[in-house]
């Protein structure tokens, strides 16, 4: 089953900032225009180290965190690709 659009965007959920000043990194998955889901990437950073391109910058662990985020997004994209290739229904729950 084909879908009109699919996308993954990383963002910092600043509304859940801890007392230590760190906020969680989330992925927003969209299928078509009306289906979206947010899931945690299990990483927390101070907002000052986040940029709008979905990368951690100028942080002592930036390289390690960015690799984790790349692997995280890759898993999501691979799940979508496998469903698409198998011509299965593509839903947020399936991904």
């Amino acid at each position: 089953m084909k879908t009109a659009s699919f996308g993954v965007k990383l963002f910092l959920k600043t509304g859940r900032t801890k007392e230590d000043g760190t906020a969680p990194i989330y992925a927003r998955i969209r299928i078509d225009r009306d289906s979206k889901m947010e899931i945690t990437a299990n990483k927390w950073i101070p907002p000052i180290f986040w940029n709008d391109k979905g990368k951690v910058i100028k942080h002592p662990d930036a390289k390690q965190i960015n690799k984790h985020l790349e692997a995280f997004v890759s898993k999501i994209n691979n799940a979508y690709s496998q469903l698409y290739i198998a011509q299965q229904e593509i839903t947020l729950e399936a991904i």
Side-chain angles (χ1 to χ4, degrees), residues 13 26 30 34-35 37 55 57 59 62 69 79:
K13 200 165 199 171
Y26 270 71
R30 287 184 181 246
D34 54 352
S35 297
M37 177 191 306
K55 295 285 185 186
I57 56 170
H59 185 277
L69 296 175

Side-chain angles (χ1 to χ4, degrees), residues 3-6 29-36:
T3 183
S5 64
F6 170 79
I29 304 168
R30 287 184 181 246
I31 297 176
D32 296 327
R33 289 184 177 241
D34 54 352
S35 297
K36 71 177 180 178

Side-chain angles (χ1 to χ4, degrees), residues 15-27:
R16 293 199 51 219
T17 303
K18 292 185 195 178
E19 286 184 23
D20 68 0
T22 60
I25 300 171
Y26 270 71

Side-chain angles (χ1 to χ4, degrees), residues 67-86:
K67 282 185 180 186
H68 171 85
L69 296 175
E70 287 174 16
F72 177 67
V73 170
S74 181
K75 284 181 185 179
I76 295 168
N77 287 327
N78 287 341
Y80 168 81
S81 295
Q82 289 174 0
L83 291 170
Y84 185 83
I85 290 168

